Amino acid sequence: MKIISGSLMELSAHLARQTDSQDDAVIEERVKAIIAEVKAKGDQALFSYTEQFDQVALAKLKLDLTEIERGYQETAPEVVQALEAAKANITSFHLKQKQSGFVDAEKAGVIRGQLVLPIETVGIYVPGGTARYPSSVLMNALPAKIAGVKRIVMVTPASPEGLPPGLLAAAKICGIEEIYQVGGAQGIAALAFGTETIPKVDKIVGPGNVYVATAKKILFGTVAIDMIAGPSEVVVLADEAANPAFIAADLLSQAEHDVLARAILITTSQLIAEKVNEELESQLVTLPRGAIAREALDNHGAIFVVEDVTSQFALMNQIAPEHLEIQLADPLAHLSRVKHAGSVFLGAYASEPLGDYLAGPNHVLPTSGTARFFSPLGVEDFVKRTAFISYTKEALAAEKTEVMILAREEGLEAHARAIQVRFEEEKK
Amino acid sequence: MKIISGSLMELSAHLARQTDSQDDAVIEERVKAIIAEVKAKGDQALFSYTEQFDQVALAKLKLDLTEIERGYQETAPEVVQALEAAKANITSFHLKQKQSGFVDAEKAGVIRGQLVLPIETVGIYVPGGTARYPSSVLMNALPAKIAGVKRIVMVTPASPEGLPPGLLAAAKICGIEEIYQVGGAQGIAALAFGTETIPKVDKIVGPGNVYVATAKKILFGTVAIDMIAGPSEVVVLADEAANPAFIAADLLSQAEHDVLARAILITTSQLIAEKVNEELESQLVTLPRGAIAREALDNHGAIFVVEDVTSQFALMNQIAPEHLEIQLADPLAHLSRVKHAGSVFLGAYASEPLGDYLAGPNHVLPTSGTARFFSPLGVEDFVKRTAFISYTKEALAAEKTEVMILAREEGLEAHARAIQVRFEEEKK
C-alpha cells in the first residue's frame, strides 16, 4: 500500500481531494424502470427480473416453512451453534438500546408524553449472488424483534442452487417465517408497494449493491429506509507498539470484501507503516480472495504517517469511517476523541471481524463518511415516536393568550379561534 | 363537508382508493437542475435564483447580528413573551428525550457500549414567502440545541420587505446567529454542498414546499434529512357528547393552512356530524383565510360516521394522521388504541393549535400517512450513535472459534485469519 507522510494540513487536503463524484444517472434510470415495472405488474415482473438478472426460473417466490426447516437441518451443527452464540451477544447488546416512552405530569392539569411504538411491518434485504451472509440476517432481524416488530419479511436474491442453508438457519434462529427469493431493485420495489404475494412493508433495512441502494433512495418516503450504504471501510490507528501482523490481517479482512473497500492505516510510526506493508504482502499470498483484496488496497487503501495522535484522530474524524480500530496504548482513554465513526474497536484484540460476527453491536453501519450523521442499525430503527398532550380547561386558560398571540403573529386566525371558542359562553 | 356513513369495511375501502399518485417527474427534473447549478456556481446561483423566484435582488446572503437584533427589537413585546413561554415548554418537553449512551461490562474482559454524539452542523429550513413561522424556528432549533449541535444554520426565503421581525426574534431567542436569506431547492442544495458563504451541513431539517421536499429527498445520503413532508392533516375522533363548535374550529385551523390540507372527522354520531357541518359554515364566514379553508374542506375533508369506537380507531390508524384529536369520554384510556399518529391531542381542551405553538411537543410531524414509520422531530434527530467494543486476549479466545466458523461459512477467509493471527505464537 502507498505510504503517505505529511503534516495534518497536507494529509487533510489530500483526503479532501478524494471525494469521488460518481455519476449514477444511468443506474438511476434503470432502477426507476424496474420500480415502475414492479409497481405495474407485481409478481410477474419479479419472476421475469429474477430470470433475467439471477438466471433462475422460479416456480414460486415464497419459501415454505419446510424449506426453511430443511436449510436449518442441512447447516453444520457448529455453524448453528456459532449463530446461536452470535444471537445471544447481539440480543444482550441490543436489549440495552430499547427505549420506553415517558409521561410528564409536572404541571397542574397538563399531561404530556411520548409513546415509543414498534414499526408494524419491516422488510429485510439480505444480499445474495455469489455471497452468503447469515450474519446479516441476525444483525437485521434481531433488533427488529427486540423492538417488537410484528411482521418481518426477508427478501434475498434467488440462486440456481437454491438459497444457502446457512442463511435459512439464521432466519429460523431469528424466527423469520416469511422469505421471498427476490433481490435487487425489484426486491426493494416489491417491499415498498407490495405485490400479490409480497406484503407492502413500512420500512426496508439492510445493505445491498448499488441497485439496491438506489432503489431504497428512490422509494424513501413511500417507505422508510435505514440508510444508504456504500462500499465498506476501516481506519486503523496505530502507534509504534502496535502489532503489524494484527493490523495487516485486519486491513485485509476489510479489503477482501470488495474491490471498492477502503482500508486505511494512520500511524505515528514510519517503522510500523513499513512493517504493515511487509505483512500485507506476506499474508496476501495465501488469501483465497487475495486478488480482490490487492485491488482494493492498491486503489483505495493508504497508510498515512502523521506527527502525533491529534493528527491521527483529526484525519480519522475527517474520514468518518464505518469501522475504526484504535490500536494505541490505553485505547479506552482515546474514546472521547472519536467524533464520527460507526463502530469502534479498542485495543489489539478487538479485531474488526469480531464485531462483524459475534461481539454484539450491529454490523450494519454507516459508510462513506455518513457516520457524520447516520448511526449503526439498532432497535431505534424499528420504532417510531408519538407525542401526546392532555390539558384541562384551566390549564389551557393559563396558556391561551400566548397561543393566540403566536397564531395571529403567523396570520393563522383559525388557529387562534380554535382556542378562543373554548372560552366563549354560548359555545359550551 | 361531505358526510359518509358505512361499515368499517366500506369506509376502509373508500380511504384506500384515495391514495393520490401524484406524478412529480417534472418537479424532480427542475429541482435536479437547480441542485446542479448551485453545486457548480455556489453563491452566484443563489443570488440568481432568489431574484428569479423571490423577486429580491439581494446584496448579501447572510444577515448581520445587528439585523437579527433589530428584528428582535421590532417584535411586539407580547410576541417575544409568548415565544419565550413556548421556548420554556418546548425545552422542558424535549429535555426528556435526551438519551445517554451506555456501557455494558457484564462479561469478564469484555467492554461493549454505545456513545450518543451530537451531529456537528445542522441546517434548518424555515418556510417563507407570504407566510411567517417563528414557531417553526423554535421547533427546529431547540431540540438541536438540547442535543448539543454546535453549529445551527438557518435558511429562509428572502422577502422584498426583508425577513419578518418575529422570525428574527425567534432566532435570537434560540441563539441562532447564522441566518441566510435563501429558500427553495436552492437553499437546500446550498446546505448540502456548501457555497462560498454557506457552510456544508450534516443534516437538514424542517418543512417546506414541494420543491424543498424534493430537494431534500434527492440530496438524502449526501446529507441526512428529517423526513419528507407533505400537506398537513388532522383526524378528530368524536362521540355524541363532543362539542361541535370546538371540533369545527379545530378542523378549520387545519384547513386554513393550505388548500391541500386534510381535515377529517370520524364520529359515531350522525347528529354530531351534522352539527359540525353547521358550525363549519357559520365559522367559515368570518375567517380571513376562509377561501383556502373551504377549498381544503371541499376537496380533502370528510366526515365519516361509523358504528363504534373500534371502527373509529381502525380508520384513524389506516390514515396514520399527522395530528389526532381524541374528543371522546375518558380520552387517555384510548391511548393504547393509537398505532400510527404523529401527535395526539386528548380531550376537549387539547386543541391542535395548542400543540402547534405552546404545549411543548414538536409540531414538525410526519404527514400523509408516514406516521407509520416516521416520528415527530426531536432530540433524537440531532444525534447519532457510535458503538464500541474492547476485548482482552482471553475474552477473544473464548469466542474466537465461533467468529472463525461464521467467517468461513461466509467465505471470508481473511476475516477468520484476522482472529487466528492473534493466537499464532510467531506473530506476537
Side-chain angles (χ1 to χ4, degrees), chain A residues 28 32 92 97 112 114 132 135 202 217-218 250 256 339 348 359 372 384 409-410 415 422, chain B residues 28 32 92 97 112 114 132 135 202 217-218 250 256 339 348 359 372 384 409-410 415 422:
Chain A
E28 194 180 309
K32 277 188 178 171
S92 64
Q97 293 181 332
R112 308 186 301 179
Q114 180 170 287
R132 49 185 189 279
S135 62
D202 298 314
K217 182 178 162 169
I218 290 171
D250 293 352
E256 78 169 338
K339 300 296 171 213
R372 291 188 66 87
K384 61 208 168 76
E409 172 68 15
E410 296 193 353
H415 282 62
R422 285 168 159 86
Chain B
E28 195 180 309
K32 278 188 176 169
S92 65
Q97 294 181 330
R112 309 186 299 178
Q114 179 171 288
R132 50 184 187 281
S135 62
D202 298 313
K217 182 178 164 170
I218 291 170
D250 292 353
E256 78 168 338
K339 301 297 172 211
R372 292 189 67 87
K384 62 209 170 76
E409 171 68 14
E410 296 192 355
H415 282 61
R422 286 169 159 85

Side-chain angles (χ1 to χ4, degrees), chain B residues 5-280:
Chain B
S5 309
S7 70
L8 175 56
M9 199 182 288
E10 287 159 1
L11 295 176
S12 174
H14 174 88
L15 273 177
R17 281 194 300 273
Q18 290 197 312
T19 49
D20 26 336
S21 59
Q22 193 187 344
D23 185 15
D24 47 14
V26 175
I27 290 173
E28 195 180 309
E29 286 316 306
R30 287 166 71 180
V31 169
K32 278 188 176 169
I34 292 171
I35 290 172
E37 188 80 0
V38 172
K39 194 176 177 184
K41 299 192 182 157
D43 285 348
Q44 193 201 318
L46 302 182
F47 284 118
S48 150
Y49 283 124
T50 301
E51 193 153 359
Q52 184 183 340
F53 297 138
D54 305 307
Q55 285 79 49
V56 186
L58 286 176
K60 59 184 173 57
L61 292 166
K62 190 178 178 180
L63 258 63
D64 298 329
L65 285 181
T66 54
E67 292 172 281
I68 299 174
E69 179 62 33
R70 198 185 316 136
Y72 178 83
Q73 297 298 342
E74 285 172 3
T75 302
E78 67 270 20
V79 171
V80 170
Q81 213 169 359
L83 287 169
E84 290 283 6
K87 179 188 176 181
N89 284 351
I90 294 166
T91 300
S92 65
F93 184 83
H94 286 79
L95 275 172
K96 296 201 184 286
Q97 294 181 330
K98 201 164 179 179
Q99 285 180 273
S100 39
F102 60 80
V103 173
D104 162 8
E106 286 160 24
K107 214 188 289 186
V110 177
I111 300 169
R112 309 186 299 178
Q114 179 171 288
L115 306 173
V116 177
L117 300 170
I119 292 177
E120 222 164 66
T121 310
V122 165
I124 290 178
Y125 188 90
V126 179
T130 55
R132 50 184 187 281
Y133 297 121
S135 62
S136 287
V137 178
L138 271 55
M139 292 292 184
N140 281 279
L142 294 173
K145 284 272 172 187
I146 290 168
V149 172
K150 267 196 221 143
R151 189 169 182 184
I152 299 177
V153 175
M154 175 173 147
V155 301
T156 189
S159 160
E161 301 81 37
L163 297 183
L167 204 67
L168 302 177
K172 187 183 150 81
I173 285 169
C174 296
I176 296 177
E177 301 188 334
E178 276 190 79
I179 303 177
Y180 300 92
Q181 311 175 68
V182 57
Q186 60 277 17
I188 301 297
L191 291 171
F193 299 117
T195 68
E196 300 89 325
T197 307
I198 299 181
K200 175 176 169 47
V201 304
D202 298 313
K203 184 162 186 171
I204 302 172
V205 301
N209 64 18
V210 66
Y211 292 93
V212 169
T214 303
K216 281 170 72 179
K217 182 178 164 170
I218 291 170
L219 291 166
F220 176 60
T222 302
V223 286
I225 65 172
D226 52 345
M227 63 185 101
I228 297 170
S232 195
E233 76 237 325
V234 69
V235 167
V236 179
L237 305 185
D239 59 18
E240 69 290 345
N243 186 314
F246 296 4
I247 296 170
D250 292 353
L251 294 170
L252 287 171
S253 78
Q254 190 63 39
E256 78 168 338
H257 270 295
D258 187 336
V259 294
L260 294 174
R262 205 168 167 211
I264 289 172
L265 168 64
I266 306 176
T267 178
T268 44
S269 161
Q270 176 71 27
L271 187 64
I272 286 288
E274 286 161 16
K275 281 191 178 169
V276 167
N277 252 349
E278 284 164 30
E279 275 290 338
L280 285 171

Side-chain angles (χ1 to χ4, degrees), chain A residues 177-189:
Chain A
E177 302 189 334
E178 277 189 79
I179 304 177
Y180 300 93
Q181 311 177 68
V182 58
Q186 61 276 19
I188 301 297

Side-chain angles (χ1 to χ4, degrees), chain A residues 6 34 43 57 118 126 152 155 164-165 181 192 199 213 233 242 246 271 323 326 355 357 375 409:
Chain A
I34 293 170
D43 285 348
V126 179
I152 299 177
V155 301
Q181 311 177 68
E233 75 236 326
F246 297 4
L271 186 64
H323 307 100
I326 303 182
Y357 293 110
S375 300
E409 172 68 15

Side-chain angles (χ1 to χ4, degrees), chain A residues 28-42 45 49 185-186 188-190 192-193 211 214-219:
Chain A
E28 194 180 309
E29 285 316 307
R30 287 167 70 179
V31 169
K32 277 188 178 171
I34 293 170
I35 290 172
E37 188 79 359
V38 172
K39 194 176 176 184
K41 299 192 184 157
Y49 283 124
Q186 61 276 19
I188 301 297
F193 299 118
Y211 292 93
T214 303
K216 281 169 72 178
K217 182 178 162 169
I218 290 171
L219 292 166

